[in-house]
Amino acid sequence: MDAVAQQPELEPTWGAEADDDLKLEVATQWQLMWWKFRKHQLAMAGGAVVIFFYILALGAEFFAPKLFTWYDKNYVYAPPQQIHLIRDGQLAPFVYGYKFERDPKSYKKTWLVDEETIIPIGLFVSGEPYKILGLIETDIHLIGPLDQDDPFYLMGADKSGRDVFSRIIYSARISLSVGLVGVFISMMLGIVLGGLSGLLGGAVDNIIQRLIEIMMSIPMLPVWLAIAAVVPLDWSALDVYFIITILLALTTWTGLARVVRGKFLSLREDDFILAARLDGAPGMRLIFRHMLPSFYSHVIASLTLLLPGMILAETALSFLGVGLRPPVVSWGVMLQETQKVAVIAIYPWLLYPALAVIIVVLAFNFLGDGLRDAADPY
Amino acid sequence: MWRYIARRFAYMLFTVWVISLISFILIQLPPGDFATKMVSQMLSGGAREVPPEVEAQLRAQYGLDQPVYVQYATWIGKIIFEGDFGYSFTYKRDAIELIFERLPMTFTISLFSVLFIWVVALPTGIYSAVNKYSLSDYLFTFVGFIGLAVPNFLLALILMFLSYKFSGQALIGLFSPEFADAPWSLAKVLDMLKHLWIPVIIVGMAGTASLIRTMRANLLDELNKPYVETARAKGLSELRLLWKYPVRHALNPFISTVGWTLPTLVGGEVIVSIVLNLPTSGPIILESLMQQDMYLSAGFILVLSTLTVVGTFVSDLLLAWLDPRIRLQ
Amino acid sequence: MGDILLDVIDLKIHFFTDEGVVKAVDGVDLAIERGKTLCLVGESGCGKSVTCRAFLRLIANPGRLVSGEMHFRSSTNGTIDLAQLDPKGSAIRDIRGKEIAMIFQEPMTSLSLMHTVGDQIMESVLLHENVLKPEARDRAIEMLQRVGIPKPDRLVDEYPFRLSGGMRQRAMIAMALSCNPTMLIADEPTTALDVTTQAQILDLMLDLQRQDNMTLMFITHDLGVVAEIADDVAVMYLGRIVERASVDTIFNAPQHPYTQALLRSIPKIAMQRDELDPIKGMVPSPYRRPSGCTFHPRCSRRIEACNRIVPSVTELAPGHTVRCLLYENIQETEALQHG
């Protein structure tokens, strides 16, 4: 047909539209995912909170008014102070000081707010010296009393007069990194075992599947408890930390392994893998160059959903006293003090670490949920 | 179908065997053994010194000088054929007695939690899926997220704090004081049921939240399947259609989910009853672990896990009965 | 034209998605004659499936019936405008399955795998007719026999996943015909089947149609199928019917450039390799429909006005209509559209 050739000048009528179509088509997978993720407002908020907490954890020395080991025996169980912004009509933030009375009979100390004593506070104040990221020495803290000897307990004090607020910030370091390390080990196990299972099939697959089923059908908590409980008491805090992360990883890789296996199974039959195989791509290259990239997004999403579980598990173990031990400080370790209901009834601010756990876990769940939705942008 | 059941049954036996291995390893983990424990108990009981021959004799008596696999065989054999789980130092009783005393409560609470989860998650999930993106869907989703994010032991802690604050006492127990030490009777059972709902809800919370999400997602998947359109094209009303087709299909993954929530529930029950100090296995397991009273803790873990695996097997059977694709295999 | 069963006037169905509005059906006029077979032909995504689902009000969110009329001659209730009915109401449900039945493309997924074949057939009967279960079961067995399923009394209790694709599609047909509908809509019912099975199913459908004097609306993109079964053909492109005529006219004297191009693009056995002539260009993105006649960017016979003016329906001969500016008085149409 040469009718086409006769009227080529009419072409431009849809040229502009064609360009737009092209743009839609060349958006990469990651771009598409980002677009889809951006629409998920809760997930965006969750992501922001997660980033916020990791920044807190990294710069704990700076953000926390006190070091986590700092204590003042004079202020055991001091209640939280409230920040007041305006004094005498001017912006001059302060907190009230404490005074205490002794009950004449029980001789117990009770704290009262002392509206006579005013403790001026400020941003970027001098406090205890520390090293930024272990390198640069400084004593600047984000927030604190202008005179560093004044009491300053935004979330109250614990039984040794330590600052709950500062310790919560330091705890983020341990609580959030237990999750990361655990998830990394778990991811390795999940990808390798799930991958082997899906790729090789047959007997290997069967064995790994049985293993996963066994892991999934045993109530893990008592087993964790048991293993954690037999860790000798003379082990260092670091050793215990490692044991706990490995323990968590060993029991949580199953979910990811299932995802990876399923993906490998379906990918094995996919055309582009067949094409690569016919092209003579060797096995390892096939896995890492062609198969894994096609579901990175799913892996990332599963990992994000795994993290909160790890954080909760560590908190639970430490709370029960079989996880991390002082002087290491994590939210679970802090919550150990709250095991007795009588204690929380009198000093409810000791539950603040629980709030931190809930917020972080919630944020991770929102984030992971959004990621999972976005993982399949097509 | 019989082949399917036989295969699941074989897997179950295998899993139980692995569990028994894990439990046995737990016994072996702490330094020292039964004999050293005995000796140290004698010492603390007033004996001035225990000659090493006595310790060796004890070791021989309990077969602890045998190779490990023989010890395992003896241990598991005694459990299977004599119901003898060993002796608890901490409580100075046979482990089996303590297990029989505490375990039924753990399973009562766990099973009630399964029921609670089903009764709440099923209708909520369906409602959420059918009214996708409605206000109540968002509400349920949000509450579900909270339920997932608040670990059950924290929930227990918070509830306990609240009840202490408002009623002056930590009200959360399984029995009213007058029944606590009373022998079992109908009145005691009723009293227990009255108190049971708080731990049941606490234990079931996270499971409910995740199952609502599972059900919602499954149903949303099913609602777009062509067979739904076929049914609609026949003239079925929306409600009848929903119950007969998509819900029925979405139920399969739901039921298998129940199979694997059971272990989490049992684990949750353990920790929650530790916090609430309920007379179930939780506190005893923790206590025995802390004291390294390993025969007792291993016994608990073995029985607890075995029963859980049996529960999973039952959910497999249920699935086979429900799904013709498995039944007719 | 003879006895019109369903008269569709200016039907518009738009999908309101996050990315924009998709005008899946954008002004369809179609008259369907009683007792005849009408084939609706077009490329994927042209809106043919949406059109026929609209007859039963099966359009799901985010799709919406924006405007149009669909006058249906009900056998019991006189003429009903289907477009006015509540898509969840009882009026349309009485028509679904009873007066207008439908079969779908994927026999694998269009039947519920968790229910027996018999259960799914009986359901229709129990719903629309005042019969008891045993009677409905007998009817199901009878229908299975009619569609050529061997041992129907045994297969009635079988689950669909134990049947082959062809058998499932037969069961689907049995299900659709169980209440003797006046009209049967078949949405690409043979696409998912292999060629031999395809032929058997087509024969079966034609047979059944003749026996019951049923009206058949057959949706396909396969012109070979059209040639075999159609009385009338409607060709659809991007939400509009561009040409409608008897099957002879469509194959021997097509008038619309799209129909012509479509026919040129099918390979024939006697043809040389290089003679195959695909339609130039791609189907445009659904979000950015070309202006004027939507086919103009790909049209080999376009004229200057094509990107401005939406062609209207022109009757070339009785029963032969076309939507193309080549066949209408342009000034007149333009005056009409802008005035």
Side-chain angles (χ1 to χ4, degrees):
Chain A
M1 265 293 148
D2 50 7
V4 182
Q6 283 162 12
Q7 297 177 317
E9 63 274 15
L10 284 172
E11 205 62 54
T13 46
W14 65 308
E17 287 158 9
D19 272 358
D20 280 357
D21 286 350
L22 227 56
K23 205 156 57 188
L24 195 68
E25 276 158 15
V26 296
T28 65
Q29 179 195 358
W30 299 102
Q31 258 170 320
L32 285 173
M33 280 167 55
W34 170 240
W35 289 341
K36 192 157 180 208
F37 180 72
R38 227 173 23 187
K39 276 201 259 170
H40 215 298
Q41 282 167 3
L42 272 180
M44 289 287 283
V49 171
V50 166
I51 291 172
F52 171 76
F53 268 90
Y54 273 103
I55 291 176
L56 270 192
L58 270 181
E61 289 89 350
F62 169 68
F63 293 109
K66 305 284 190 225
L67 297 183
F68 72 95
T69 44
W70 177 91
Y71 67 94
D72 186 341
K73 274 286 178 202
N74 289 319
Y75 293 98
V76 169
Y77 288 131
Q81 290 165 318
Q82 212 184 340
I83 295 182
H84 302 265
L85 286 177
I86 310 288
R87 184 165 43 129
D88 302 335
Q90 278 187 315
L91 181 71
F94 67 96
V95 292
Y96 288 121
Y98 297 103
K99 59 182 174 188
F100 64 85
E101 287 173 349
R102 274 195 199 280
D103 188 294
K105 277 186 216 141
S106 70
Y107 218 62
K108 226 172 105 185
K109 259 190 194 177
T110 37
W111 293 100
L112 295 170
V113 176
D114 179 12
E115 301 210 358
E116 308 284 287
T117 335
I118 278 167
I119 300 169
I121 58 167
L123 296 175
F124 304 106
V125 293
S126 293
E128 312 225 347
Y130 61 91
K131 286 180 176 167
I132 297 175
L133 301 172
L135 294 173
I136 312 154
E137 197 145 339
T138 176
D139 64 353
I140 301 297
H141 294 258
L142 178 67
I143 188 170
L146 295 185
D147 177 355
Q148 62 160 306
D149 292 329
D150 282 335
F152 182 63
Y153 295 105
L154 282 181
M155 293 184 175
D158 67 5
K159 63 174 181 210
S160 333
R162 293 176 293 200
D163 178 24
V164 172
F165 176 65
S166 299
R167 285 170 64 81
I168 286 182
I169 294 179
Y170 276 95
S171 293
R173 212 170 252 184
I174 299 297
S175 294
L176 294 180
S177 67
V178 165
L180 277 189
V181 177
V183 157
F184 180 76
I185 302 174
S186 177
M187 176 181 87
M188 282 304 158
L189 282 171
I191 290 183
V192 169
L193 290 177
L196 283 178
S197 193
L199 269 180
L200 300 177
V204 177
D205 180 36
N206 210 349
I207 291 170
I208 295 177
Q209 284 313 300
R210 292 292 78 70
L211 191 63
I212 292 179
E213 261 173 44
I214 291 173
M215 304 282 291
M216 288 179 97
S217 56
I218 299 176
M220 271 304 156
L221 192 101
V223 179
W224 281 343
L225 283 182
I227 298 177
V230 297
V231 172
L233 285 166
D234 53 353
W235 282 25
S236 75
L238 196 69
D239 291 338
V240 179
Y241 175 90
F242 265 112
I243 288 293
I244 297 287
T245 46
I246 290 174
L247 203 60
L248 294 181
L250 280 180
T251 46
T252 47
W253 55 273
T254 49
L256 184 67
R258 285 204 155 174
V259 173
V260 173
R261 172 177 178 267
K263 284 284 161 191
F264 269 120
L265 276 183
S266 65
L267 275 176
R268 243 187 356 184
E269 315 296 324
D270 255 13
D271 289 346
F272 75 101
I273 294 299
L274 187 67
R277 191 179 285 162
L278 292 179
D279 242 18
M284 275 298 147
R285 192 182 152 75
L286 203 65
I287 297 173
F288 286 100
R289 211 42 214 112
H290 296 277
M291 294 173 100
L292 267 181
S294 71
F295 62 96
Y296 274 153
S297 49
H298 289 273
V299 171
I300 292 171
S302 321
L303 291 183
T304 321
L305 290 170
L306 205 60
L307 262 165
M310 293 256 178
I311 295 173
L312 286 183
E314 183 274 325
T315 309
L317 288 183
S318 301
F319 166 76
L320 291 175
V322 291
L324 301 176
R325 299 170 190 157
V328 171
V329 54
S330 77
W331 293 323
V333 172
M334 292 182 75
L335 284 171
Q336 268 180 38
E337 285 190 37
T338 65
Q339 276 202 24
K340 290 199 184 65
V341 70
V343 175
I344 24 174
I346 314 174
Y347 315 117
W349 55 87
L350 293 180
L351 279 176
Y352 273 121
L355 198 67
V357 174
I358 293 171
I359 292 174
V360 164
V361 171
L362 202 57
F364 265 115
N365 275 327
F366 283 143
L367 175 67
D369 212 45
L371 283 178
R372 190 173 46 189
D373 275 0
D376 228 333
Y378 303 107
Chain B
M1 174 160 79
W2 294 112
R3 267 187 58 193
Y4 168 83
I5 292 177
R7 206 172 55 222
R8 299 310 314 180
F9 190 74
Y11 290 165
M12 180 183 77
L13 288 184
F14 181 68
T15 309
V16 170
W17 177 68
V18 173
I19 290 170
S20 76
L21 279 185
I22 295 178
S23 309
F24 184 70
I25 292 170
L26 285 179
I27 296 179
Q28 304 297 313
L29 270 182
D33 55 24
F34 190 79
T36 21
K37 274 263 172 187
M38 280 293 245
V39 169
S40 69
Q41 207 174 34
M42 285 180 206
L43 286 173
S44 65
R48 270 246 226 91
E49 61 172 328
V50 179
E53 306 88 74
V54 176
E55 196 177 328
Q57 201 191 335
L58 273 172
R59 210 157 261 142
Q61 186 188 334
Y62 290 98
L64 296 173
D65 50 353
Q66 309 267 353
V68 176
Y69 60 90
V70 179
Q71 287 187 44
Y72 169 74
T74 324
W75 173 74
I76 196 78
K78 274 192 169 170
I79 288 174
I80 296 174
F81 298 111
E82 299 165 33
D84 178 5
F85 282 81
Y87 182 75
S88 158
F89 291 101
T90 329
Y91 295 89
K92 309 220 170 8
R93 291 164 67 185
D94 280 338
I96 181 76
E97 284 179 32
L98 288 157
I99 293 175
F100 262 123
E101 226 171 78
R102 297 297 189 105
L103 215 63
M105 283 317 293
T106 292
F107 269 86
T108 313
I109 293 181
S110 300
L111 289 179
F112 270 103
S113 296
V114 171
L115 271 181
F116 169 76
I117 290 177
W118 274 19
V119 167
V120 176
L122 190 67
T124 318
I126 294 173
Y127 183 86
S128 247
V130 174
N131 300 293
K132 193 170 80 160
Y133 302 141
S134 69
L135 194 64
S136 28
D137 177 30
Y138 280 121
L139 190 75
F140 288 140
T141 309
F142 191 74
V143 172
F145 268 120
I146 304 262
L148 275 183
V150 183
N152 40 29
F153 72 94
L154 278 185
L155 194 65
L157 214 57
I158 291 166
L159 275 183
M160 209 152 75
F161 166 61
L162 290 179
S163 91
Y164 195 88
K165 191 157 180 162
F166 292 112
S167 67
Q169 47 179 324
L171 237 183
I172 304 164
L174 281 185
F175 307 102
S176 309
E178 64 266 31
F179 285 110
D181 293 315
W184 281 103
S185 65
L186 186 66
K188 188 174 178 175
V189 171
L190 288 177
D191 180 64
M192 180 192 78
L193 289 179
K194 248 191 297 187
H195 287 79
L196 207 58
W197 63 274
I198 297 178
V200 162
I201 289 178
I202 296 175
V203 172
M205 193 62 148
T208 310
S210 79
L211 229 59
I212 288 177
R213 281 152 49 90
T214 311
M215 187 65 200
R216 179 179 181 273
N218 287 344
L219 194 58
L220 280 180
D221 272 358
E222 296 298 332
L223 283 176
N224 292 322
K225 294 270 172 77
Y227 69 82
V228 176
E229 197 172 34
T230 309
R232 194 171 284 134
K234 275 188 224 172
L236 236 59
S237 74
E238 289 296 311
L239 199 64
R240 268 180 73 177
L241 183 150
L242 180 72
W243 281 102
K244 180 161 180 187
Y245 294 101
V247 169
R248 181 78 175 69
H249 281 246
L251 221 51
N252 283 355
F254 190 78
I255 292 205
S256 45
T257 315
V258 170
W260 56 257
T261 45
L262 200 59
T264 331
L265 284 184
V266 173
E269 197 283 330
V270 169
I271 191 168
V272 166
S273 51
I274 291 174
V275 176
L276 299 179
N277 202 12
L278 300 180
T280 74
S281 358
I284 280 205
I285 292 179
L286 185 65
E287 177 67 18
S288 63
L289 283 170
M290 292 301 213
Q291 303 296 330
Q292 306 212 327
D293 188 355
M294 293 321 276
Y295 282 104
L296 182 58
S297 36
F300 262 110
I301 289 174
L302 177 64
V303 181
L304 208 58
S305 308
T306 304
L307 286 178
T308 311
V309 173
V310 172
T312 314
F313 174 67
V314 170
S315 92
D316 279 340
L317 291 189
L318 206 60
L319 195 64
W321 173 65
L322 257 180
D323 190 340
R325 279 167 296 184
I326 298 176
R327 194 171 60 219
L328 297 175
Q329 232 170 30
Chain C
M1 214 180 275
D3 184 8
I4 307 289
L5 180 68
L6 177 63
D7 195 11
V8 179
I9 300 163
D10 198 28
L11 183 69
K12 286 188 181 168
I13 295 152
H14 297 176
F15 285 75
F16 298 87
T17 68
D18 289 346
E19 284 80 21
V21 178
V22 179
K23 299 180 176 176
V25 176
D26 201 20
V28 159
D29 299 288
L30 191 63
I32 299 163
E33 235 179 304
R34 192 187 292 276
K36 291 278 182 64
T37 299
L38 172 74
C39 275
L40 190 57
V41 190
E43 289 165 273
S44 320
C46 71
K48 48 193 197 304
S49 288
V50 176
T51 306
C52 67
R53 275 171 177 72
F55 299 165
L56 285 177
R57 305 302 308 277
L58 290 175
I59 306 294
N61 271 333
R64 224 179 302 154
L65 196 149
V66 177
S67 66
E69 296 161 35
M70 295 183 285
H71 299 287
F72 176 68
R73 282 261 197 98
S74 160
S75 53
T76 46
N77 289 325
T79 303
I80 306 172
D81 183 0
L82 300 176
Q84 298 300 324
L85 300 180
D86 171 11
K88 289 190 173 167
S90 66
I92 188 71
R93 278 193 270 121
D94 286 342
I95 292 173
R96 287 179 190 162
K98 184 168 165 52
E99 302 220 37
I100 305 178
M102 187 156 178
I103 46 184
F104 297 88
Q105 182 172 353
E106 287 283 345
M108 306 287 170
T109 50
S110 296
L111 287 166
S112 164
L113 300 187
M114 305 276 291
H115 300 84
T116 60
V117 172
D119 178 11
Q120 295 181 66
I121 299 177
M122 282 156 64
E123 190 176 47
S124 271
V125 182
L126 288 169
L127 198 65
H128 293 296
E129 284 170 35
N130 194 12
V131 294
L132 292 172
K133 265 203 168 156
E135 213 174 321
R137 191 186 149 87
D138 289 344
R139 173 87 69 85
I141 296 173
E142 180 200 321
M143 286 313 299
L144 286 174
Q145 182 138 38
R146 264 192 85 190
V147 297
I149 283 185
K151 298 187 199 139
D153 46 337
R154 206 172 58 76
L155 256 105
V156 79
D157 293 322
E158 203 55 90
Y159 287 89
F161 58 88
R162 311 238 286 184
L163 305 182
S164 68
M167 283 299 165
R168 284 185 217 187
Q169 199 57 296
R170 280 171 199 266
M172 273 290 280
I173 295 171
M175 197 167 84
L177 299 187
S178 57
C179 292
N180 296 315
T182 339
M183 178 169 163
L184 178 67
I185 302 172
D187 185 2
E188 309 205 31
T190 56
T191 310
L193 304 174
D194 64 79
V195 187
T196 344
T197 322
Q198 207 170 355
Q200 289 167 0
I201 296 286
L202 282 180
D203 284 346
L204 172 70
M205 289 186 65
L206 279 184
D207 252 17
L208 293 169
Q209 186 220 2
R210 278 184 207 121
Q211 284 171 28
D212 296 355
N213 192 30
M214 191 170 58
T215 310
L216 179 61
M217 171 142 169
F218 199 99
I219 291 142
T220 181
H221 56 249
D222 184 342
L223 290 173
V225 171
V226 176
E228 193 176 333
I229 66 166
D231 294 315
D232 291 311
V233 181
V235 181
M236 207 164 167
Y237 184 79
L238 282 190
R240 290 181 193 137
I241 290 186
V242 293
E243 183 164 14
R244 187 235 156 96
S246 71
V247 66
D248 285 344
T249 318
I250 286 287
F251 279 98
N252 298 322
Q255 295 304 312
H256 195 283
Y258 177 63
T259 319
Q260 292 168 345
L262 206 59
L263 286 165
R264 275 198 307 271
S265 69
I266 0 175
K268 297 185 187 75
I269 290 172
M271 211 154 68
Q272 296 294 314
R273 270 189 75 158
D274 51 348
E275 277 179 272
L276 202 61
D277 185 9
I279 304 177
K280 195 169 74 79
M282 304 267 284
V283 179
S285 152
Y287 299 107
R288 345 186 108 257
R289 296 255 149 128
S291 55
C293 167
T294 47
F295 186 59
H296 82 262
R298 303 170 74 187
C299 183
S300 57
R301 293 170 66 199
R302 75 182 147 233
I303 53 176
E304 176 270 333
C306 287
N307 63 358
R308 289 188 286 113
I309 304 171
V310 180
S312 51
V313 180
T314 312
E315 184 157 23
L316 299 178
H320 187 183
T321 57
V322 66
R323 264 185 116 153
C324 178
L325 292 182
L326 294 173
Y327 304 99
E328 59 184 299
N329 183 330
I330 293 174
Q331 279 81 27
E332 212 173 86
T333 315
E334 197 164 20
L336 218 71
Q337 279 184 5
H338 291 276

